[in-house]
Amino acid sequence: MIRISKAGKRKPLYGIGINDAEQVVTYCPYYRRWASMLTRCYGVDFKIYHSPYYGCSVCDEWLTFTTFKKWMKQQDWKGKCLDKDMLKHGNNVYGPDNCIFISQRLNSSIQNKPKGMYMRGVSLSGKKYRAIVSRDVIGHYDTEIDAYAACCKARLVLMLSMPEVITNTKLSEAVKGKVSAMIAEAAQ
């Protein structure tokens, strides 16, 4: 909901985002994506439960709603998630040069946070580390890092077969780079 001050001007969203739309846009899909992005970066309560967003910010030009909306209208966004670090691994700034809309399936496939005691997609099976992707066992390995690397490579094959990646060279290269960076980070 847009908050109006006594002076008749809208209050900045999270004290920083300027909604300069001429009419009420609370239910507009562009506004919802813009407000959600600001929540991830500047919403204190959100960050309590989503620590990976600490340190994230929005570029100056996207702090104005209509500028973000103009960019979003030029994108293939319907049914997709706004992603800030697919094109540039480790990026923490939402902006037109860094962001892309990707499917929820691709977004979930690229997630790297561990689920449990071991790296994502890895579990201990006896004395070996088991690598699993999409409920399929990839293999058993002597080390957790080897199992994780096998998971990443299998996830890469899976992601490169997704239609949105096949048809978008920029996204395909970004996926390859992101998976390589994930493997390199884990090896350190």
Side-chain angles (χ1 to χ4, degrees):
M1 176 186 259
I2 298 173
R3 292 170 253 144
I4 308 291
S5 70
K6 290 180 182 176
K9 294 184 178 182
R10 295 180 180 129
K11 291 182 182 178
L13 191 57
Y14 296 104
I16 196 165
I18 307 299
N19 178 1
D20 59 342
E22 293 179 11
Q23 70 281 350
V24 175
V25 292
T26 307
Y27 299 105
C28 165
Y30 305 109
Y31 179 82
R32 287 184 169 224
R33 293 283 175 38
W34 178 74
S36 177
M37 171 184 66
L38 291 174
T39 299
R40 290 190 296 270
C41 293
Y42 306 110
V44 176
D45 292 339
F46 181 86
K47 289 182 179 183
I48 290 171
Y49 299 103
H50 302 89
S51 60
Y53 287 96
Y54 277 104
C56 290
S57 62
V58 176
C59 74
D60 289 344
E61 65 185 289
W62 276 13
L63 292 174
T64 304
F65 168 65
T66 56
T67 305
F68 175 81
K69 179 181 176 182
K70 182 179 177 184
W71 174 84
M72 186 173 159
K73 280 183 166 183
Q74 298 171 356
Q75 308 304 310
D76 175 18
W77 62 270
K78 290 182 181 176
K80 296 184 178 181
C81 309
L82 180 63
D83 190 278
K84 67 173 170 34
D85 57 1
M86 176 61 81
L87 298 178
K88 295 181 181 177
H89 182 69
N91 176 60
N92 284 328
V93 180
Y94 284 89
D97 297 330
N98 307 328
C99 290
I100 188 169
F101 283 95
I102 61 175
S103 68
Q104 181 60 49
R105 182 174 177 224
L106 178 57
N107 201 20
S108 295
S109 296
I110 203 70
Q111 294 300 318
N112 199 29
K113 60 186 173 194
K115 287 187 173 183
M117 293 177 56
Y118 303 103
M119 295 174 167
R120 188 175 179 98
V122 177
S123 63
L124 192 58
S125 176
K127 293 184 178 184
K128 296 271 189 175
Y129 291 91
R130 179 175 39 211
I132 302 172
V133 173
S134 299
R135 298 189 179 131
D136 294 328
V137 176
I138 306 304
H140 293 82
Y141 301 86
D142 291 328
T143 67
E144 182 179 5
I145 190 68
D146 289 343
Y148 179 72
C151 274
C152 287
K153 290 172 185 172
R155 284 170 39 203
L156 175 61
V157 170
L158 177 72
M159 289 183 280
L160 291 176
S161 70
M162 294 178 183
E164 71 183 294
V165 177
I166 291 170
T167 59
N168 185 330
T169 305
K170 185 178 180 180
L171 188 54
S172 176
E173 293 304 312
V175 165
K176 291 174 189 174
K178 181 127 179 156
V179 171
S180 294
M182 288 166 40
I183 294 170
E185 283 176 4
Q188 293 179 359

